[in-house]
Amino acid sequence: MSDVYAQPTAAAQPASTGDLAQYTTLCLGGPAGRVVTATTADEIVGRVREAGSEILLLAGGSNVVIGDAGFPGTVILVRSRGLRVLTEDERTVTVRVEAGEPWDDLVAATVRNGWAGLECLSGIPGSTGATPIQNVGAYGQEVAETIVAVQVYDRIAGTVGQVETDACGFAYRSSIFKYSERWVVLSVDFRLARSPLSGPVRYAELARALGVEVGDRVPLAQARSTVLGLRAGKGMVLDADDPDTRSVGSFFTNPVLDAATYEQVRQRAADLGEPPSWPSAGDTVKVSAAWLIDKAGFGKGYAGPEGTAISSKHTLALTNPTASASTQALLTLAREIRDGVHHRFGVTLHPEPVLINCAL
C-alpha cells in the first residue's frame, strides 16, 4: 500500500484503466488490469473484498514507484474524505480523519483551528491514510507522536478493527503496515494539543529560518508558512510549473549506522569534513543521505538516462522532469547513486518509496 493512501459521492464507479502514471507524482507507471474508485471506508472494504488477492491501493501516489509493466490486478483509488472530532477537553482534541483526506489540507485545518502537533509536516504531498504506513516525518515531527489509533481492514481475518499506537510498530519511516498486505488503512485518529503555538522547534534548519533557538515555540501559522517555504525551496511542494516536483520527494532514507560503521564513514570522509549526523535510537547514528550522495559525486541536477535527473534543488529527490521517462530509467539512476555511495563510503542507501512491480 503506497501512498497509498474529497466529498463522498454515490456508488463508486470504475475509472480508466490507462497508465498509472496519471495517478503518481513521478508521472511513471504502466497500465493496470482494472482501476476502481472508493469514496468511503465501507467502499474501500467492499472494493478490497471484491478484488481478491491482487490489489494496489493508491491515493496521492506521492510515495510510490510503479514499474513500466504496470500492475496486473485491481488498483483501488482511495478517495474517502472527512475529519470529525471524537473527544476534546481544555488541553487536547482527538480527531478522526479518513484515509483519502489530502494530508496538507488536514495540516492546514489543524493550524486554522489552533491544534498543535502537525504544523511542521506542512506541504508533504499525499493522503492521511499513508502517514502511519510510512511514519511520515519532517523538520523534527513524526506522525507517530500524535497518532493514537489507526482504523484498518484486516484482510486475513476479514474484519474491520483498530490498531492502537503501541501496536503500530512505529520506527524511522516504518510501521507494521509498510511491508504487509494484511492491513488496509481506513482512517487515522490524532490527538493534538490546543495551543496557538507550535511544539518546541527541534530542527536546527527550521529554527534558523524562524530566527529562534532550538526548543522555542512560535505561532502555528508562522511554523507552517516557514516549513512550506523551506520545502518549496527544495522542490518538495507539488507545483505543476516546477519540473523538480515530479518526484517522490526523498528517494532514499537517511542511513542509521552503528558506532563502528559510522566511524568507518568518518574515516572515509576525512578529506570532506564531518558528515552531518544526528543521534538515533540506542547507540546508532543517523547520517545525511543527501550529504553522502553529493560527496560521492552526484550533485544537484546530475543527469540520468531518458531525461531523469537529481533535482536541481535537493540531492535526495530523483525527478522525471519532462514526464516522458520510463521507470526503468529512473531506477537506473537510483542504482548508479546507490552503488556510487557504497563504493565511496561503504554505506548502502535504501529507497524510501514503495516499489510496485519493479526493484532496485
Side-chain angles (χ1 to χ4, degrees), residues 239-275:
D239 181 350
D241 295 326
D242 184 356
D244 273 336
T245 68
R246 293 192 187 103
S247 75
V248 289
S250 298
F251 193 90
F252 295 103
T253 58
N254 292 321
V256 178
L257 310 177
D258 60 36
T261 305
Y262 176 59
E263 185 56 33
Q264 291 174 13
V265 171
R266 292 182 70 235
Q267 291 174 11
R268 291 194 183 201
D271 59 329
L272 302 171
E274 191 73 13

Side-chain angles (χ1 to χ4, degrees), residues 55-331:
I55 63 168
L56 170 64
L57 292 114
L58 277 176
S62 63
N63 195 48
V64 59
V65 181
I66 301 176
D68 295 314
F71 184 78
T74 298
V75 174
I76 301 172
L77 302 178
V78 177
R79 299 293 184 258
S80 55
R81 274 209 169 194
L83 175 158
R84 64 188 176 93
V85 174
L86 295 180
T87 61
E88 56 185 326
D89 56 34
E90 293 182 355
R91 295 184 301 171
T92 66
V93 58
T94 301
V95 296
R96 177 164 294 173
V97 187
E98 298 303 311
E101 184 73 19
W103 175 253
D104 195 54
D105 289 0
L106 168 62
V107 177
T110 64
V111 169
R112 286 195 304 270
N113 286 316
W115 302 338
L118 303 180
E119 60 280 355
C120 292
L121 303 177
S122 293
I124 295 175
S127 67
T128 298
T131 62
I133 296 171
Q134 188 77 359
N135 185 18
V136 164
Y139 295 101
Q141 286 184 337
E142 286 185 338
V143 293
E145 299 167 355
T146 52
I147 290 176
V148 292
V150 181
Q151 288 69 51
V152 298
Y153 173 61
D154 183 337
R155 295 178 66 196
I156 293 178
T159 58
V160 173
Q162 181 165 285
V163 181
E164 307 294 333
T165 305
D166 291 346
C168 288
F170 287 128
Y172 174 58
R173 301 297 175 269
S174 185
S175 71
I176 64 167
F177 312 112
K178 186 168 184 179
Y179 297 112
S180 172
E181 296 183 353
R182 177 175 182 174
W183 312 104
V184 176
V185 174
L186 303 175
S187 58
V188 187
D189 295 348
F190 299 88
R191 181 171 295 132
L192 306 169
R194 288 184 175 277
S195 172
L197 299 179
S198 69
V201 176
R202 300 171 183 164
Y203 204 75
E205 180 190 15
L206 178 57
R208 288 193 298 270
L210 288 164
V212 302
E213 299 295 323
V214 171
D216 288 349
R217 298 173 185 264
V218 299
L220 289 174
Q222 184 183 3
R224 173 171 166 75
S225 64
T226 303
V227 167
L228 286 172
L230 288 171
R231 291 185 63 87
K234 299 173 182 178
M236 297 289 188
V237 176
L238 293 181
D239 181 350
D241 295 326
D242 184 356
D244 273 336
T245 68
R246 293 192 187 103
S247 75
V248 289
S250 298
F251 193 90
F252 295 103
T253 58
N254 292 321
V256 178
L257 310 177
D258 60 36
T261 305
Y262 176 59
E263 185 56 33
Q264 291 174 13
V265 171
R266 292 182 70 235
Q267 291 174 11
R268 291 194 183 201
D271 59 329
L272 302 171
E274 191 73 13
S277 62
W278 307 268
S280 192
D283 295 325
T284 60
V285 178
K286 187 185 299 180
V287 178
S288 168
W291 187 90
L292 295 172
I293 291 168
D294 181 65
K295 298 305 181 185
F298 305 97
K300 296 173 184 175
Y302 184 89
E306 297 182 23
T308 60
I310 293 178
S311 166
S312 67
K313 302 179 182 69
H314 199 294
T315 53
L316 268 183
L318 307 189
T319 67
N320 176 23
T322 64
S324 61
S326 64
T327 300
Q328 187 56 44
L330 187 89
L331 293 176

